[in-house]
Coordinates of all heavy atoms in Angstrom, one line a residue:
V1 N 2.6 12.3 15.0 CA 2.9 10.9 15.3 C 3.9 11.0 16.6 O 3.7 10.0 17.5 CB 3.8 10.4 14.1 CG1 4.4 9.0 14.5 CG2 2.8 10.3 12.9
S2 N 4.8 11.8 16.7 CA 5.8 11.9 17.8 C 6.3 13.2 18.0 O 6.4 14.0 17.1 CB 6.9 10.8 17.6 OG 7.6 10.6 18.7
C3 N 6.9 13.4 19.1 CA 7.5 14.8 19.4 C 8.5 14.5 20.5 O 8.5 13.6 21.4 CB 6.5 15.7 19.9 SG 7.1 17.2 20.4
I4 N 9.6 15.4 20.4 CA 10.6 15.4 21.5 C 11.0 16.8 21.9 O 11.1 17.7 21.0 CB 12.0 14.7 20.9 CG1 12.9 14.4 22.2 CG2 12.6 15.2 19.9 CD1 14.0 13.4 21.8
S5 N 11.3 16.9 23.1 CA 11.6 18.1 23.7 C 12.8 18.0 24.6 O 12.7 17.4 25.7 CB 10.5 18.9 24.4 OG 10.8 20.1 25.1
N6 N 14.1 18.6 24.3 CA 15.1 18.5 25.2 C 14.9 19.4 26.4 O 15.4 19.0 27.5 CB 16.4 18.7 24.3 CG 16.7 17.6 23.4 OD1 16.6 16.5 23.7 ND2 17.2 18.0 22.2
T7 N 14.5 20.6 26.2 CA 14.4 21.5 27.2 C 13.5 21.0 28.4 O 13.7 21.3 29.5 CB 14.0 22.8 26.8 OG1 12.7 22.9 26.1 CG2 15.0 23.3 25.8
E8 N 12.2 20.4 28.0 CA 11.2 19.8 29.0 C 11.5 18.4 29.3 O 10.8 17.9 30.2 CB 9.9 20.1 28.5 CG 9.5 21.5 27.9 CD 9.6 22.4 29.2 OE1 9.3 22.0 30.4 OE2 10.0 23.5 29.1
G9 N 12.5 17.7 28.6 CA 12.8 16.5 28.9 C 11.6 15.5 28.7 O 11.4 14.7 29.6
E10 N 10.9 15.6 27.6 CA 9.7 14.9 27.4 C 9.6 14.5 25.9 O 10.2 15.0 25.1 CB 8.4 15.8 27.8 CG 8.3 16.9 27.0 CD 7.0 17.8 27.3 OE1 6.7 17.7 28.6 OE2 6.4 18.4 26.5
S11 N 8.8 13.5 25.7 CA 8.6 13.0 24.4 C 7.1 12.5 24.4 O 6.3 12.3 25.5 CB 9.5 11.8 24.1 OG 9.3 10.7 25.0
F12 N 6.5 12.3 23.2 CA 5.2 12.1 22.9 C 5.1 11.0 21.8 O 5.8 11.1 20.8 CB 4.3 13.3 22.7 CG 3.1 12.9 22.1 CD1 1.9 12.6 22.9 CD2 2.8 13.0 20.7 CE1 0.7 12.3 22.4 CE2 1.7 12.7 20.1 CZ 0.5 12.4 20.9
Y13 N 4.1 10.1 21.9 CA 3.7 9.2 20.9 C 2.3 9.0 20.6 O 1.6 9.0 21.8 CB 4.3 7.8 21.1 CG 5.9 7.6 21.2 CD1 6.4 7.8 22.6 CD2 6.6 7.7 20.2 CE1 7.7 7.8 22.7 CE2 8.1 7.6 20.3 CZ 8.5 7.6 21.5 OH 10.0 7.7 21.7
V14 N 1.7 9.1 19.6 CA 0.3 8.8 19.3 C 0.2 7.4 19.6 O 1.0 6.5 19.5 CB -0.1 9.2 17.8 CG1 0.6 8.2 16.8 CG2 -1.6 9.3 17.7
D15 N -1.2 7.1 20.1 CA -1.3 5.7 20.6 C -1.0 4.6 19.6 O -0.6 3.6 20.0 CB -2.8 5.6 21.1 CG -3.1 6.3 22.4 OD1 -2.0 6.7 23.1 OD2 -4.3 6.6 22.7
S16 N -1.3 4.9 18.3 CA -1.2 3.8 17.3 C 0.3 3.5 17.0 O 0.4 2.4 16.5 CB -1.8 4.5 16.0 OG -1.1 5.6 15.5
V17 N 1.3 4.3 17.5 CA 2.6 3.9 17.3 C 3.4 3.5 18.6 O 4.4 3.1 18.6 CB 3.4 4.9 16.6 CG1 2.7 5.3 15.3 CG2 3.6 6.2 17.4
K18 N 2.7 3.7 19.8 CA 3.4 3.4 21.0 C 3.9 2.0 21.1 O 3.2 1.0 20.7 CB 2.4 3.7 22.2 CG 2.3 5.2 22.6 CD 1.4 5.4 23.8 CE 1.2 6.8 24.1 NZ 0.4 7.1 25.2
G19 N 5.1 1.8 21.6 CA 5.7 0.5 21.6 C 6.3 0.0 20.4 O 7.2 -0.9 20.3
R20 N 6.2 0.7 19.2 CA 6.7 0.5 18.0 C 7.8 1.5 17.5 O 8.7 1.2 16.8 CB 5.6 0.3 16.9 CG 4.7 -0.9 17.3 CD 3.7 -1.2 16.1 NE 2.9 -0.1 15.7 CZ 2.9 0.5 14.5 NH1 3.9 0.2 13.6 NH2 2.1 1.5 14.2
F21 N 7.5 2.7 17.7 CA 8.3 3.9 17.3 C 9.1 4.5 18.5 O 8.6 4.5 19.6 CB 7.3 4.9 16.6 CG 6.7 4.6 15.3 CD1 6.8 3.3 14.8 CD2 6.2 5.6 14.7 CE1 6.2 3.0 13.7 CE2 5.6 5.3 13.4 CZ 5.6 4.1 12.9
T22 N 10.3 4.9 18.3 CA 11.1 5.6 19.3 C 11.7 6.8 18.7 O 12.4 6.8 17.6 CB 12.2 4.6 19.7 OG1 11.6 3.5 20.2 CG2 12.9 5.4 20.9
I23 N 11.5 8.0 19.4 CA 12.0 9.2 18.9 C 13.4 9.4 19.8 O 13.5 9.0 21.0 CB 11.1 10.3 19.0 CG1 11.6 11.5 18.2 CG2 10.7 10.7 20.5 CD1 10.5 12.7 18.2
S24 N 14.3 10.0 19.1 CA 15.6 10.5 19.7 C 16.2 11.6 19.1 O 15.8 12.0 17.9 CB 16.5 9.0 19.7 OG 16.9 8.8 18.6
S25 N 17.2 12.2 19.7 CA 17.8 13.2 19.2 C 19.4 13.1 19.3 O 19.8 12.5 20.3 CB 17.4 14.6 19.7 OG 17.6 14.6 21.2
D26 N 20.1 13.7 18.3 CA 21.6 13.7 18.6 C 22.0 15.2 18.5 O 22.0 15.8 17.3 CB 22.3 12.9 17.3 CG 23.7 12.9 17.4 OD1 24.3 13.7 18.1 OD2 24.3 12.0 16.7
N27 N 22.1 15.8 19.6 CA 22.5 17.2 19.6 C 23.8 17.7 18.9 O 23.8 18.7 18.4 CB 22.7 17.6 21.1 CG 21.3 17.6 21.9 OD1 20.3 17.7 21.3 ND2 21.3 17.4 23.2
A28 N 24.8 16.8 18.8 CA 26.0 17.1 18.1 C 25.8 17.2 16.6 O 26.5 17.9 16.0 CB 27.1 16.1 18.4
K29 N 24.6 16.5 16.1 CA 24.4 16.6 14.7 C 23.2 17.4 14.3 O 22.7 17.5 13.2 CB 24.3 15.3 14.2 CG 25.5 14.3 14.3 CD 25.3 12.9 13.8 CE 25.1 13.0 12.2 NZ 26.4 13.4 11.4
N30 N 22.5 18.0 15.5 CA 21.2 18.7 15.2 C 20.2 17.9 14.4 O 19.5 18.4 13.5 CB 21.5 20.0 14.6 CG 22.4 21.0 15.4 OD1 22.4 20.9 16.5 ND2 23.0 22.0 14.7
T31 N 20.1 16.7 14.8 CA 19.2 15.6 14.0 C 18.4 14.9 15.0 O 18.7 14.6 16.1 CB 20.2 14.7 13.3 OG1 20.9 15.4 12.4 CG2 19.3 13.7 12.5
V32 N 17.1 14.9 14.5 CA 16.2 14.0 15.3 C 15.9 12.7 14.6 O 15.7 12.9 13.3 CB 14.8 14.9 15.6 CG1 13.8 13.9 16.2 CG2 15.1 16.0 16.6
Y33 N 15.7 11.5 15.1 CA 15.5 10.4 14.5 C 14.1 9.8 14.9 O 13.6 10.0 16.1 CB 16.5 9.2 14.9 CG 17.9 9.8 14.6 CD1 18.8 10.4 15.5 CD2 18.5 9.6 13.2 CE1 20.0 10.8 15.2 CE2 19.7 10.0 12.9 CZ 20.5 10.7 13.9 OH 21.7 11.1 13.5
L34 N 13.5 9.0 14.1 CA 12.3 8.2 14.4 C 12.5 6.8 14.0 O 12.6 6.5 12.8 CB 11.0 8.8 13.6 CG 9.7 8.2 14.1 CD1 9.4 8.5 15.5 CD2 8.6 8.6 13.1
Q35 N 12.9 6.0 15.0 CA 13.1 4.6 14.7 C 11.7 3.9 14.7 O 11.0 4.0 15.6 CB 13.8 3.9 15.7 CG 14.1 2.5 15.7 CD 15.0 2.0 14.5 OE1 16.1 2.7 14.2 NE2 14.5 1.1 13.7
M36 N 11.3 3.3 13.6 CA 10.1 2.6 13.3 C 10.2 1.2 13.1 O 10.9 0.7 12.2 CB 9.4 3.2 12.1 CG 9.3 4.8 12.0 SD 8.3 5.5 10.8 CE 9.2 4.8 9.4
N37 N 9.7 0.5 14.2 CA 9.7 -1.0 14.1 C 8.3 -1.7 14.0 O 7.3 -0.9 14.3 CB 10.4 -1.6 15.5 CG 11.8 -1.1 15.7 OD1 12.5 -0.8 14.6 ND2 12.2 -1.0 16.8
S38 N 8.3 -2.9 13.8 CA 7.0 -3.6 13.4 C 6.0 -2.8 12.7 O 4.9 -2.6 13.0 CB 6.3 -3.9 14.9 OG 7.2 -4.6 15.7
L39 N 6.5 -2.5 11.5 CA 5.7 -1.5 10.7 C 4.5 -2.2 10.0 O 4.5 -3.4 9.9 CB 6.6 -1.0 9.5 CG 7.5 0.2 10.0 CD1 8.7 0.3 8.9 CD2 6.8 1.4 10.1
K40 N 3.5 -1.5 10.0 CA 2.1 -2.0 9.5 C 1.7 -1.2 8.2 O 2.2 -0.1 8.0 CB 1.1 -1.8 10.7 CG 1.4 -2.4 11.8 CD 0.2 -2.1 12.9 CE 0.5 -2.7 14.3 NZ -0.5 -2.3 15.2
P41 N 0.9 -1.9 7.3 CA 0.5 -1.2 6.1 C -0.2 0.2 6.5 O -0.1 1.1 5.7 CB -0.5 -2.1 5.5 CG 0.0 -3.5 5.9 CD 0.5 -3.3 7.4
E42 N -0.8 0.4 7.6 CA -1.4 1.6 7.9 C -0.5 2.6 8.4 O -0.9 3.9 8.5 CB -2.6 1.3 9.0 CG -1.9 0.7 10.3 CD -2.4 -0.8 10.2 OE1 -2.2 -1.5 9.1 OE2 -2.9 -1.4 11.1
D43 N 0.8 2.3 8.5 CA 1.8 3.3 8.7 C 2.2 4.0 7.3 O 3.1 5.1 7.4 CB 3.1 2.8 9.3 CG 2.8 2.1 10.8 OD1 2.1 2.9 11.5 OD2 3.3 1.1 11.0
T44 N 1.8 3.4 6.2 CA 2.2 4.1 5.0 C 1.7 5.4 4.9 O 0.5 5.8 5.1 CB 1.5 3.3 3.8 OG1 2.1 2.0 3.8 CG2 1.8 4.0 2.4

């Protein structure tokens, strides 16, 4: 669905979620987030 790389400074989204999902990271918490907006039944 998505990917994030801090060392390469890049991110990736599969076409079906582009514009709706956002990946991010919080290095202080060692946590990656996936914000999912405009959800569709096919995202189940």
Side-chain angles (χ1 to χ4, degrees):
V1 176
S2 187
C3 175
I4 189 166
S5 170
N6 289 321
T7 57
E8 302 298 326
E10 65 184 24
S11 60
F12 165 81
Y13 302 93
V14 68
D15 286 345
S16 61
V17 309
K18 283 183 177 178
R20 300 189 298 119
F21 291 10
T22 303
I23 192 168
S24 63
S25 63
D26 184 339
N27 291 330
K29 297 180 68 68
N30 294 337
T31 299
V32 172
Y33 303 95
L34 187 67
Q35 179 67 47
M36 307 187 297
N37 298 326
S38 302
L39 283 162
K40 304 175 180 180
E42 50 262 47
D43 295 318
T44 295

